[in-house]
Amino acid sequence: MLFMRAVLAVGIVAAAGLPMAGTAAAEQRPAPSRIIATDYSSGTPALVSLNPVSGDVIETFAQNAEEGVLSPKGSAVAYIQRDNTCIPQTEGCMYARHLVVAEADGEDQHILVRGIAPETNHAPYVMHPDWSPDGKRIVYNSPRGMEWINSDGTGQEVLMAAGGVAGTFSPDGKSIAFVKTTPYETTDGWEDGREVWVMDTATRQVHQISTARNALSEPVDWSPDGQRIVYTTENGLSVVDVTTGAVVQLQSGWTDPLSNLQGPVFSPDGTRIAFSARNFVDQTHSTYVVDATDGKNLQVLRSQGATPTDWLNK
């Protein structure tokens, strides 16, 4: 897999902070208002909003906060926070990860879902929250699988047993996209493949969208019109058409290798995608933006690592 990632190509910003020849400068593009992201530049994760032109931090919502999302009206935030209480393990401490909700100004912070102790030897955790478009529910992952809960703390329910991860609501709230691991038979035996699937929130019926078996177990994102889903793969970034299953691999025109791609999110007009990645050559962790249709005009938005979770036009 390392070899596969090493052959990725990415236009990257030089040490002086200027884009390479052939890339479009971010300053020349009109910008939606903010990208919600987990900022790791201070050493402690913080939930922030970024200027999608300069990459500067506009606002900090919470410290010690990861994978955060704003409610549809922007009045509240949901994020993952690590507990500071040691859970003794044979090789040291583990720490629970809780789903926390607070007002956007940081007031009324409270735990909505406590970290759940899995059956394995891992620390208790919940992960990857996403707010429904009507603001009524939050979907998230736990060792039990993909779950959701009402934003007032009632109605907690397992939607799918372990195997489906990182659910994301469609723009109309009628579907949840997620990555699911399923076994398949090869000439050498059985292997696990990961695909993008979609669940109907009313019927709970699921159907497979992608077919390449190369999706990573990371959150996906819907285009604003609900017609496409972007996801990370073993090779980079792919966008799949929800109706036809046709896939566009965005990394085919990049020129430097990237690895550890995370957090792809569509811009509010559906023309750009922001994500974070590590440059394979110099091991720098940066936030990037790229054209959503063909992977062109890739550029570094922020040289300090910040992993996007949403791109808002308000």
Side-chain angles (χ1 to χ4, degrees):
M1 183 181 299
L2 185 60
F3 173 77
M4 296 174 70
R5 288 179 175 171
V7 298
L8 298 181
V10 173
I12 193 132
V13 170
L18 299 174
M20 291 180 62
T23 62
E27 290 78 9
Q28 296 175 355
R29 291 181 172 273
S33 59
R34 53 184 172 171
I35 295 172
I36 308 303
T38 303
D39 182 21
Y40 295 95
S41 60
S42 67
T44 301
L47 179 61
V48 302
S49 62
L50 301 177
N51 184 314
V53 172
S54 66
D56 294 335
V57 172
I58 301 171
E59 182 178 6
T60 299
F61 299 104
Q63 299 289 342
N64 187 25
E66 299 178 271
E67 303 170 3
V69 287
L70 265 66
S71 63
K73 294 183 179 180
S75 59
V77 293
Y79 53 88
I80 302 301
Q81 188 171 69
R82 196 188 81 163
D83 197 300
N84 59 9
T85 301
C86 172
I87 301 172
Q89 304 288 307
T90 56
E91 296 181 357
C93 290
M94 292 289 189
Y95 298 90
R97 289 162 53 88
H98 305 305
L99 173 56
V100 173
V101 171
E103 295 179 10
D105 61 6
E107 296 296 319
D108 192 27
Q109 182 188 49
H110 61 280
I111 295 175
L112 191 67
V113 179
R114 292 193 172 274
I116 302 168
E119 295 177 358
T120 65
N121 198 35
H122 297 295
Y125 70 93
V126 290
M127 300 175 66
H128 306 314
D130 189 54
W131 222 302
S132 64
D134 62 8
K136 294 181 178 180
R137 292 189 176 99
I138 298 172
V139 67
Y140 61 95
N141 276 93
S142 82
R144 297 188 301 208
M146 186 169 68
E147 308 184 9
W148 70 9
I149 189 171
N150 294 332
S151 55
D152 63 3
T154 65
Q156 186 177 23
E157 181 183 357
V158 177
L159 298 175
M160 174 176 289
V165 300
T168 305
F169 280 100
S170 60
D172 62 8
K174 295 181 179 180
S175 302
I176 296 174
F178 58 95
V179 174
K180 181 181 179 181
T181 302
T182 54
Y184 64 95
E185 191 172 9
T186 70
T187 55
D188 297 324
W190 289 87
E191 296 185 13
D192 285 336
R194 295 175 301 275
E195 301 288 6
V196 177
W197 290 65
V198 168
M199 171 183 286
D200 185 301
T201 56
T203 66
R204 310 296 169 82
Q205 296 296 309
V206 300
H207 64 278
Q208 184 177 333
I209 302 297
S210 67
T211 58
R213 300 173 178 147
N214 64 348
L216 297 182
S217 297
E218 296 287 341
V220 303
D221 193 46
W222 296 76
S223 61
D225 60 8
Q227 299 301 307
R228 296 169 292 162
I229 296 172
V230 62
Y231 60 100
T232 56
T233 74
E234 297 170 350
N235 298 324
L237 282 183
S238 288
V239 174
V240 60
D241 186 284
V242 174
T243 302
T244 67
V247 173
V248 176
Q249 296 182 9
L250 298 185
Q251 71 277 358
S252 58
W254 301 349
T255 57
D256 275 343
L258 288 186
S259 62
N260 294 33
L261 280 75
Q262 294 180 314
V265 293
F266 277 97
S267 61
D269 63 4
T271 64
R272 300 281 276 169
I273 292 171
F275 64 97
S276 69
R278 186 176 299 278
N279 183 275
F280 184 75
V281 176
D282 60 17
Q283 294 299 304
T284 55
H285 185 201
S286 302
T287 309
Y288 296 83
V289 289
V290 68
D291 287 351
T293 54
D294 53 17
K296 294 182 179 179
N297 297 315
L298 181 99
Q299 59 198 114
V300 171
L301 174 66
R302 181 175 174 80
S303 57
Q304 300 97 334
T307 301
T309 49
D310 210 349
W311 193 337
L312 305 177
N313 197 23
K314 56 183 178 179

